[in-house]
Amino acid sequence: MVSLDFQSLLEGLPHLLWASGPDGNLDYVSPQWLSFTGAPEEDLLGHGWLASLHPGDQAGTMEAWAKGLRGGENFEIDNRIRRVDGCYRWFKMRAAPKRNELGQICRWQGSQTEMTAELEAREKAELTSSLIDVQRVAKLGTWTMFGDSERLKWSTELYTMFGANPDLPPPSLEDQAHLFLPESWERLTRALELAITEGRPYELELAFRDSDGQLRWLLARGERWRDETGWGLRGTAQDITTLMTAQESLSLQSARMRVATEAAHMGVWELDSDSGRLTWDPIMHELYGTDSHTFGGVHECWRQSIHPDDVAEVDRRLAQSLALGCDFDAAFRIITPCGEQKYLRGKGRVRTGAGSGKSVVGVNWDVTEQHNMELRLQSRERLLQEFVKHVPAAIAMFDKEMRYLQHSQRWLTDYDLSEDLTGRSHYDVFPDIPERWKVVHQKVLRGAVERCDEDPFVRQDGTVEWLSWEVRPWRQDDGQVGGVIMFTHVITARKNLEVLLQQQTAELMRSNHDLEQFAYAASHDLQEPLRAVSGCTQILKSRYEDQLDARAQELIRHIVEGAHRMQTLMLDLLAYSRVDRQGGTIERTSSSGPLREALVNLRQAIEESDARLVVPDKLPEVMADGSQLVMLWQNLIGNAIKYRSERPLEIVMTVVQEGSFWRFSLADNGIGIHARHFERIFLLFQRLHTREEYAGTGIGLALCKRIVERHGGRIWVESEPGRGTIFHFTLEGPE
Ligand code: ADP
């Protein structure tokens, strides 16, 4: 039988042992505990041991201790105990009750077992696992290459990144070639070579394809290592695809923006409000005629280039933007270093930086051309306004609600208005406008053009104004009807005159008719008594000639001559008054027939005068009353014979076509007529000679004129005294 010294056995163990009464007051602590803590035994007995625990564990242990005692079963508590050197180490306290034969707890006993190593191992395991997690989250893989064996070690994340099987060794360096894009692989192999040969660390952005064939990016860093075990390379690979994509889209965006601003010739600027620093892109310099060397790059330099009259407003707007955070927007003039003046437009937005400072980022562009165009437009508009205002016609322009936009001065005077009507409604200005005109306005607003040559406007007071008007739409830039333009002409005076004229014409026609009636009746009815006078006188002369003395015979001769003259006058007057009253129909007639008839009637006179008559071989057909044409020829040829000169008489007739008319001309070489009588000779009873010089009634040419005019033609004369006369007249040809 082996006798064991339990006491020394227990105290030889690495555990700290203890025992207590049922109340948990320690009455024994093993020497290991005393030497571990370096505390005297009395400090640890009772509940003193609690003070040697880590302050952070004391309350928890106390509570667990009390709970364990109450539970009366085995229990465990983890806590840290201060070592003699002040370090805390983790211990697991185990407690077990000891019971008497009645089953009551009579003592507690237990141990404190150090578990720091165990914890460290656990911590290390935890750390490794959390490192793997961190690597996963950061998409960061690590690798090591051992130089002698070229053996490779990949971290889990690296396997995930390349979609490789983690149960297999990582692919060899040669096999990795197909993972990367050729250009990236080339750069990587070059960097690896330099790292191996020269120990130069590297940092590269490399493109590769993942297992799904998607293009991805990684940031590869690597360096050479060397220790007692050997040498090699190690490094990290971080998936930066998201970053690269974002960067790519950012650079794409900024490239697009650059192209756009360049195309629009927009300069980009940024003004730091605290420092007053102003950053300009090259287009800004182009706009301002500066370059980065001559331009100071501060706010003040910009201000100096602004036109003195515009600086205050630009300052105000900029200050407002910075104070309120609203957008900056200003149009201003600048003067370039070579003295050129330009109109610029500037826009900007306030940006708050990472610190408290603010900056304004914006653009500038040249609006000189636009500005000049606006000026030109404005001046054209002014010109148009002036034109409309002073044009001597009543013009008014309205919007869609028939409100006056513009009107001429004449509009006011024509309608007896005194003040400017701009902005007022047409229907308020003229409350008596008839409904039918409002309908016209609506039609025009739908795009129609309406006009009327004569329209009565009955005013409120009952007076009538006659208007001639035209209303047409005007269109906006987008082609839509913007309103109407009205042109009116007050024709009341003309209209009244017309009415008067009509009345007078009717009156005249009536009196003319009466006169004709009278002339006809007089000439016709006087024939009879005249014939009686003339007949009786003839009888008196033939029967009583022998019984009458010379004086009586002379008187009888006067009576006979007078009666004859009167008869001729009566006949001429009768012919004249019959032109319209008893004219035949105007029809297609050969002009040669009436001419022949006239020549037959004049045969004796022609023979006596020994006249030479030249007539065209062919004479045209005309629209005429044949018998009146005979009278026309007869009068004209008769006059040529009557008013011949000393020279042998020559009468030449010609005819030419003038449009739908024929012009007949009869030229003689007679005494001629002075130009001042050209009009007069066509009037009734107008003669240029006395009866003694040339016989006549002064009716012939008046009759010719009346005949020609009845046919819709014209008659006129050309002549020179002593040389001859040409009478021209026109007659319409048949269609
Ligand atoms: P009358 O011949 O009866 O006087 P007319 O009306 O035929 O009246 O002519 C008016 C006037 O025109 C004539 O008095 C004459 O002076 C002038 N006259 C007309 N025909 C000619 C002519 N061929 N040559 C010159 N004078 C003419």
Side-chain angles (χ1 to χ4, degrees), residues 434-453:
E435 270 312 306
R436 65 174 197 286
W437 285 359
K438 292 185 181 172
V439 173
V440 166
H441 301 158
Q442 288 311 311
K443 268 196 200 168
V444 175
L445 283 171
R446 287 195 295 274
V449 175
E450 296 282 308
R451 54 172 302 175
C452 181
D453 289 337

Side-chain angles (χ1 to χ4, degrees), residues 491-623:
I491 52 161
T492 315
R494 197 191 82 192
K495 191 72 191 164
N496 291 343
L497 217 65
E498 256 175 35
V499 172
L500 196 71
L501 208 68
Q502 270 171 14
Q503 286 168 354
Q504 281 178 350
T505 311
E507 183 69 22
L508 213 65
M509 276 170 75
R510 201 167 41 77
S511 75
N512 225 12
H513 183 259
D514 290 351
L515 213 64
E516 270 177 24
Q517 187 83 16
F518 166 76
Y520 177 77
S523 49
H524 184 268
D525 297 352
L526 285 175
Q527 293 283 320
E528 188 47 41
L530 199 59
R531 257 198 303 273
V533 172
S534 164
C536 291
T537 320
Q538 289 290 341
I539 296 168
L540 189 69
K541 192 184 170 208
S542 59
R543 288 206 193 151
Y544 303 99
E545 200 169 18
D546 308 342
Q547 300 164 35
L548 298 173
D549 62 9
R551 176 70 186 146
Q553 284 196 20
E554 194 190 336
L555 285 174
I556 287 174
R557 196 165 39 83
H558 281 308
I559 293 171
V560 171
E561 271 178 23
H564 178 70
R565 267 208 320 277
M566 197 161 170
Q567 216 164 9
T568 320
L569 192 66
M570 288 294 134
L571 284 171
D572 284 357
L573 212 53
L574 198 62
Y576 182 83
S577 70
R578 276 178 174 162
V579 170
D580 283 337
R581 284 172 53 83
Q582 292 182 3
T585 42
I586 294 174
E587 57 197 2
R588 194 187 186 108
T589 310
S590 154
S591 54
S592 58
L595 174 65
R596 219 172 309 122
E597 204 178 320
L599 292 176
V600 170
N601 296 345
L602 290 166
R603 193 171 53 212
Q604 195 186 345
I606 293 170
E607 278 167 9
E608 279 171 15
S609 62
D610 201 17
R612 195 172 82 87
L613 199 70
V614 183
V615 179
D617 296 338
K618 212 168 167 295
L619 284 168
E621 283 192 323
V622 288
M623 296 300 293

Side-chain angles (χ1 to χ4, degrees), residues 341-405:
Q341 179 173 296
K342 285 184 185 176
Y343 284 82
L344 296 193
R345 176 84 185 269
K347 275 191 169 226
R349 185 156 286 185
V350 179
R351 218 162 62 113
T352 309
S356 61
K358 278 182 185 170
S359 69
V360 189
V361 183
V363 286
N364 265 192
W365 68 99
D366 192 334
V367 290
T368 311
E369 191 50 41
Q370 200 180 326
H371 180 82
N372 290 343
M373 180 89 95
E374 265 165 31
L375 286 184
R376 281 200 293 275
L377 272 174
Q378 277 169 12
S379 100
R380 269 180 54 182
E381 200 169 307
R382 267 200 307 278
L383 194 77
L384 204 71
Q385 275 176 358
E386 281 297 291
F387 175 78
V388 170
K389 192 170 173 189
H390 299 296
V391 72
I395 298 180
M397 191 171 170
F398 301 88
D399 65 10
K400 278 196 277 203
E401 274 71 47
M402 292 303 289
R403 280 187 299 252
Y404 281 87
L405 295 174

Side-chain angles (χ1 to χ4, degrees), residues 639 642-643 668 673 681 686-689 696-698 700-701 725:
N639 277 353
K642 190 176 5 171
Y643 299 106
D668 63 44
I673 307 166
I681 53 170
Q686 292 298 322
R687 309 199 62 227
L688 304 180
H689 307 280
T697 57
L701 287 180
T725 305

